Amino acid sequence: MTHLLQDPPQRGGSVPRDVAPAVSEAAGHALARLFQVLKAVRPVRPIHLKGVGLTGELTRTGISGSPSGLDWLDAPGTDLVEARFSRSLGLPSRLPDVLGLALRLTPSDAGARGTASDGGTASGAPGGGTADVLFSSTGWQLPGRFLLHPKLDVTTAALTTLMPYRGRNGPVLLGLRTISLAGRSVACGHWVLGLYWAKPAGPWQQCGELRLQAAPEPADTPLRFDPLENQPRGAEAYAWTRRLRERSYRAAQQPAPPGAIRAAVGSAAVERPGTTSNQPAPATTGRNAMSTVSQLFNTPAADVWQVIADGWLYSGWVVGASRIRAVDDTWPQAGSRLHHSVGAWPLVINDSTRVTAAEPEKSLELVARGWPLGEAKVVITLQDQGNQCLVTMAEDAIRGPGKRLPKILRDPMITVRNRETLKRLELMAAGGAGK
């Protein structure tokens, strides 16, 4: 991967020709041909046909550790945001799809509108103003962060730029993870995401917070985003990424016949959930498939994580867990288990909970078993805010009789239980449990 992140050597002399330009050039032509075929079927937008327009604000916290090397990212400030959320292939909402979030960023602080630190003009629009950044659902760790990942639920999706920018200190990936989503979809609630950056093989470092809400009518936006031409200040596209993507963008953004535009606008009209319509949320709204609750703790994330990381304390804060029978030595690493009992004596069920993903002091994903009732997926995220921490807990049944219970009935029960769970967790963290 590393050799692809370098610019190819110049031809001539005895310097051997790099294979990267030939590979990326051929791949770019192939992608362009694919988009031309899709364009014949979908003349307005070959992919991401239907979307939801969003507006909001991105707050950049600036350098808190090592700098990313992107001037825009390393400077604290605020950007006004116009965004579009969409599903790539437009599959039915019950099926996973590659999720996309396109951002148009306009700095609201005067300092970000100036020139780059080296005295040249900042990249992107004139004066380093507007920048377009595209995110897609991928994995979060290696090698998944370089692979598209179809998802059903936006709250559990990792969104990254997939391909890196070139900054002063080398390649930089950007990523987004949902902190909270109020409402049942991105089209009818406030969506809060954490902004992160990472080296291609390095750990993610949080560097900001993105807050979005539905834009005024119409539901979708006519904006066309161009991340190759409108880049953040201090960021550049590597030559190989430009060769790979540029022809596809040109093919996708070719003007469609007027008749096709009118037909597409009519068929893609999105009615916002929560209005007078009784129809379900459309496929483009990124429905929140899990029951989600959030609570602001007056305790730092490190203290909360200490409670979560001690598996023997599980029954003290998880409503329904009556006792802990055994805990793997590696808890809470991915793949580890704790063995618990559910219910009140003498009607107790012995089963286990398995960790499917973990990021210390930031997130924990679990599959909790309680057969014959079934299994549930649980996602706990922590957003550190100094002496406080925003804790979000999302859960839903994934297997067994609990899954057969209609969502409209099981969601309120999960919500009530998890609100009490978060109250118990806060009390234990504040009391120093786990230390």
Side-chain angles (χ1 to χ4, degrees):
M1 185 70 184
T2 303
H3 74 281
L4 292 177
L5 300 179
Q6 311 299 324
D7 285 330
Q10 298 294 322
R11 300 183 190 179
S14 60
V15 179
R17 179 182 177 185
D18 195 338
V19 297
V23 172
S24 56
E25 188 81 17
H29 279 289
L31 283 174
R33 285 194 290 271
L34 174 61
F35 271 73
Q36 288 165 358
V37 172
L38 292 173
K39 188 82 171 175
V41 180
R42 295 176 169 181
V44 179
R45 294 182 188 265
I47 59 175
H48 299 282
L49 177 63
K50 298 179 181 180
V52 174
L54 305 166
T55 61
E57 187 174 87
L58 174 65
T59 302
R60 291 173 275 111
T61 56
I63 300 174
S64 58
S66 59
S68 69
L70 304 185
D71 294 340
W72 160 76
L73 200 61
D74 292 339
T78 304
D79 301 317
L80 302 178
V81 179
E82 295 178 89
R84 185 177 191 261
F85 174 82
S86 57
R87 291 163 56 91
S88 179
L89 300 179
L91 298 175
S93 60
R94 65 181 180 276
L95 298 177
D97 202 341
V98 175
L99 308 180
L101 181 63
L103 305 182
R104 174 155 294 174
L105 308 168
T106 304
S108 61
D109 50 307
R113 296 178 182 271
T115 56
S117 58
D118 61 1
T121 302
S123 59
T130 300
D132 292 342
V133 184
L134 305 189
F135 294 87
S136 299
S137 57
T138 67
W140 194 244
Q141 305 301 332
L142 288 171
R145 63 179 64 171
F146 299 108
L147 300 172
L148 295 173
H149 189 179
K151 296 288 288 186
L152 180 65
D153 179 13
V154 70
T155 62
T156 61
L159 303 171
T160 77
T161 51
L162 187 65
M163 298 183 187
Y165 289 104
R166 179 171 61 185
R168 292 191 312 276
N169 302 331
V172 177
L173 286 167
L174 301 181
L176 294 168
R177 294 297 296 265
T178 296
I179 296 172
S180 64
L181 175 59
R184 65 188 178 94
S185 78
V186 302
C188 63
H190 291 271
W191 189 14
V192 183
L193 305 98
L195 174 68
Y196 298 80
W197 74 270
K199 293 295 184 182
W204 291 99
Q205 301 181 50
Q206 187 164 3
C207 54
E209 184 176 277
L210 174 64
R211 292 181 172 271
L212 296 172
Q213 60 186 9
E217 299 293 345
D220 204 346
T221 173
L223 285 178
R224 306 305 289 262
F225 302 84
D226 192 336
L228 295 180
E229 296 304 318
N230 304 323
Q231 298 172 40
R233 186 166 57 95
E236 297 180 56
Y238 280 95
W240 66 273
T241 66
R242 187 174 290 275
R243 287 190 296 267
L244 190 61
R245 304 165 80 178
E246 195 165 30
R247 290 183 179 85
S248 299
Y249 287 168
R250 284 206 300 263
Q253 296 186 2
Q254 285 293 321
I261 295 176
R262 286 193 296 270
V265 170
S267 64
V270 178
E271 187 170 9
R272 298 195 184 284
T275 62
T276 55
S277 171
N278 292 320
Q279 297 300 316
T284 52
T285 58
R287 64 192 180 92
N288 180 7
M290 305 178 78
S291 171
T292 304
V293 295
S294 296
Q295 183 174 326
L296 184 64
F297 288 16
N298 291 316
T299 313
D303 291 353
V304 179
W305 183 258
Q306 284 182 329
V307 179
I308 295 173
D310 189 338
W312 291 102
L313 297 178
Y314 191 83
S315 60
W317 57 277
V318 176
V319 175
S322 55
R323 65 189 177 195
I324 303 300
R325 297 176 289 114
V327 180
D328 286 358
D329 291 339
T330 56
W331 179 273
Q333 297 178 18
S336 63
R337 295 175 183 268
L338 61 79
H339 303 270
H340 54 71
S341 301
V342 178
W345 186 88
L347 302 176
V348 294
I349 300 170
N350 293 333
D351 219 316
S352 63
T353 287
R354 175 172 55 90
V355 178
T356 55
E359 190 170 359
E361 299 188 12
K362 292 184 179 180
S363 65
L364 184 69
E365 297 184 12
L366 308 167
V367 172
R369 293 166 49 90
W371 287 94
L373 298 178
E375 300 179 14
K377 179 178 180 180
V378 182
V379 181
I380 303 170
T381 57
L382 312 181
Q383 185 198 1
D384 193 13
Q385 298 183 2
N387 291 326
Q388 293 183 313
C389 175
L390 180 65
V391 182
T392 299
M393 190 171 183
E395 180 181 346
D396 201 7
I398 57 174
R399 195 171 291 110
K403 178 69 174 176
R404 300 191 188 100
L405 187 68
K407 189 170 176 60
I408 194 172
L409 297 179
R410 71 175 184 262
D411 269 7
M413 292 189 292
I414 294 173
T415 297
V416 170
R417 179 165 56 84
N418 285 348
R419 288 195 188 283
E420 174 61 23
T421 292
L422 290 186
K423 290 178 183 178
R424 296 183 184 185
L425 178 59
E426 181 180 22
L427 290 172
M428 292 184 70
K435 293 185 178 180

